[in-house]
């Protein structure tokens, strides 16, 4: 089952607000596949990925490898964004083809368990920003709501005081965290194709570490790994954080229909073609959450339709610039941590 399937409501009443919007979107052909777009995008990302590794091999033992580590982080992030589109069924009609491609892009190319991440992302799409059901706002380390602050203990409570200031430094560990979580997921019997996932993840680690330590001496190799993984984590965090952080956090007391649940918890990011490319289309987060199987290239065309429709319903439609989106997320984190800063320890 794909993210696209599970994130749509199981049944939509014919006269519901979302059903009316969905019919309009379908009539415009915005749910149709875009093979030409993805051929070009996959080709460019593959060229960036392979070209960066070729540059790494050509430069050899040199401190100039540090800029290459930054470039490789960009390549890894772009591959990860393609894996995201594969999980949503945006590229191929066949689930099997999407899964195979996702395993190669996720597990083998960047060391991210495609099956584990898809399960996690499915739950996020079904209940975005829901503190009881969305794993992206679980209080593992950061605290996202006053209720989480009240019951917090240990590390989250300690970090929560100044989590807004620690957010970006902590993102440097996100790349490593994803790899560790991917290998931990292999212990779950519910993970489909665990052996295949494990083999591909292991192959990635061996090839990745082998290439770095074969070309670079130990000090440079270690620094290359630190720079690469830190930049990869920051890139991913800056891609996903602007979408929901700082938006309303829901609980079981909030009874919203599908359209309002997706729109009110999401934020669009303005910025033109550069931001659209850098964020892999996720800057159109509202449209993506309403229609997760919509090809990235169609999200921009869907935006005015969705925005005008929300205005006609009186549903808040939030969009802002990239820096402002980060600011809203950080201000929310700082405000949530206020009660902890007022408690004497």
């Amino acid at each position: 089952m794909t993210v696209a399937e599970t994130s749509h409501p199981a049944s939509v009443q014919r006269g519901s607000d979302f059903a009316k919007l969905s019919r309009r979107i379908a009539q415009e052909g915005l749910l149709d596949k875009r093979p030409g777009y993805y051929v070009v995008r996959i080709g460019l990302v593959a060229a960036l990925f392979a070209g960066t590794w070729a540059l790494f091999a050509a430069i050899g033992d040199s401190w100039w490898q540090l800029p290459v580590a930054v470039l490789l982080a960009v390549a890894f992030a772009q591959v990860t964004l393609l894996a995201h589109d594969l999980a949503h069924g945006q590229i191929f009609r066949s689930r099997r083809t999407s899964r195979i491609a996702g395993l190669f892009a996720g597990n083998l190319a960047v060391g991210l368990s495609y099956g584990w991440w898809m399960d996690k992302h499915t739950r996020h799409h079904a209940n975005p920003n829901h503190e009881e059901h969305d794993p992206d706002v679980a209080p593992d380390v950061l605290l996202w709501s006053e209720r989480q602050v009240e019951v917090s203990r240990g590390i989250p409570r300690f970090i929560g005081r100044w989590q807004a200031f620690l957010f970006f430094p902590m993102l440097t560990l996100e790349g490593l965290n994803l790899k560790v979580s991917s290998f931990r997921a292999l212990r779950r019997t519910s993970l489909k194709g665990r052996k295949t996932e494990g083999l591909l993840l292991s192959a990635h680690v061996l090839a990745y570490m082998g290439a770095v330590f074969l070309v670079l001496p130990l000090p440079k190799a270690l620094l290359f790994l630190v720079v690469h993984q830190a930049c990869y984590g920051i890139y991913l965090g800056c891609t996903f954080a602007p979408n929901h952080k700082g938006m309303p956090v829901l609980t079981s007391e909030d009874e919203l229909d599908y359209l309002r649940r997706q729109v009110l918890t999401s934020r669009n990011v303005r910025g033109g073609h550069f931001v659209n490319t850098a964020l892999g289309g996720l800057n159109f987060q509202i449209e993506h959450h309403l229609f997760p199987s919509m090809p990235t290239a169609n999200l921009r065309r869907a935006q005015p339709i969705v925005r005008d429709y929300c205005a006609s319903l009186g549903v808040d439609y939030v969009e802002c610039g990239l820096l402002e989106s980060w600011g809203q997320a950080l201000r929310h984190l700082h405000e949530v941590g206020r009660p902890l800063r007022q408690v004497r320890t």
Side-chain angles (χ1 to χ4, degrees), residues 18-325:
F18 176 72
K20 295 175 183 177
L21 174 62
S22 183
R23 286 195 292 272
R24 170 75 186 282
I25 292 294
Q27 288 170 0
E28 295 291 333
L30 298 178
L31 298 178
D32 297 343
K33 301 300 181 188
R34 294 287 300 273
Y37 162 79
Y38 277 110
V39 166
V40 173
R41 181 176 166 190
I42 291 172
L44 291 174
V45 171
L48 174 64
F49 187 83
T52 305
W53 278 117
L55 181 63
F56 171 82
I59 291 177
D61 182 3
S62 169
W63 289 110
W64 285 104
Q65 292 286 17
L66 296 185
V68 176
V70 177
L71 182 61
L72 189 62
V74 174
F76 267 48
Q78 286 295 319
V79 172
T80 304
L81 290 170
L82 274 177
H84 167 271
D85 287 11
L86 286 164
H88 281 293
Q90 295 178 16
I91 303 178
F92 301 110
R93 297 185 184 280
S94 166
R95 282 186 244 168
R96 184 172 182 273
T97 303
S98 296
R99 174 173 169 75
I100 292 173
L103 288 172
F104 275 94
N107 294 57
L108 186 60
V110 299
L112 171 66
S113 169
Y114 179 74
W116 163 76
W117 181 86
M118 195 167 90
D119 173 71
K120 176 176 177 287
H121 199 59
T122 296
R123 288 182 282 129
H124 158 70
H125 263 267
N127 292 283
N129 264 28
H130 194 295
E131 65 178 20
E132 298 163 20
H133 302 302
D134 183 356
D136 288 354
V137 292
D140 294 330
V141 178
L142 299 176
L143 303 171
W144 303 103
S145 70
E146 295 180 1
R147 183 178 300 186
Q148 290 180 353
V149 167
E150 292 173 359
V151 299
S152 63
R153 297 289 185 273
I155 293 178
R157 189 173 184 85
F158 175 77
I159 291 178
R161 292 178 174 85
W162 307 106
Q163 58 184 7
F165 298 97
L166 296 173
F167 180 70
F168 281 105
M170 289 176 63
L171 285 181
T172 62
L173 301 174
E174 181 60 17
L176 179 61
N177 175 57
L178 291 174
K179 284 180 170 51
V180 171
S181 297
S182 294
F183 275 98
R184 290 177 60 186
L186 297 176
R187 297 181 297 182
R188 301 179 185 174
T189 57
S190 59
L191 181 65
K192 180 181 178 181
R194 284 191 299 165
K195 290 184 179 179
T196 301
E197 292 235 4
L199 286 173
L200 291 174
L201 285 173
S202 299
H204 165 80
V205 172
L206 291 174
Y208 173 66
M209 300 293 284
V212 172
F213 284 100
L214 181 64
V215 172
L216 299 175
L218 184 61
K220 291 177 183 174
L222 292 176
L223 187 56
F224 180 93
L225 294 174
V226 169
V227 171
H228 174 234
Q229 291 299 320
C231 290
Y232 176 49
I234 292 173
Y235 192 142
L236 288 183
C238 290
T239 298
F240 289 96
N243 303 332
H244 301 282
K245 308 314 179 190
M247 299 303 290
V249 178
L250 306 181
T251 68
S252 57
E253 298 174 0
D254 297 297
E255 297 183 1
L256 300 175
D257 62 6
Y258 178 78
L259 183 141
R260 288 164 180 79
R261 186 167 70 249
Q262 303 298 337
V263 174
L264 295 177
T265 59
S266 302
R267 177 196 298 115
N268 275 16
V269 178
R270 294 189 295 264
H273 292 297
F274 175 77
V275 170
N276 190 28
T277 300
L279 302 188
L282 294 182
N283 46 309
F284 298 108
Q285 188 68 190
I286 294 174
E287 289 72 29
H288 170 60
H289 258 257
L290 287 171
F291 304 98
S293 63
M294 180 184 292
T296 296
N298 290 342
L299 294 172
R300 178 180 59 83
R301 294 170 54 199
Q303 183 188 31
I305 299 174
V306 173
R307 183 172 51 203
D308 291 347
Y309 186 72
C310 287
S312 71
L313 296 175
V315 176
D316 288 342
Y317 181 102
V318 178
E319 57 180 334
C320 62
L322 183 60
L323 294 180
E324 175 57 24
S325 70

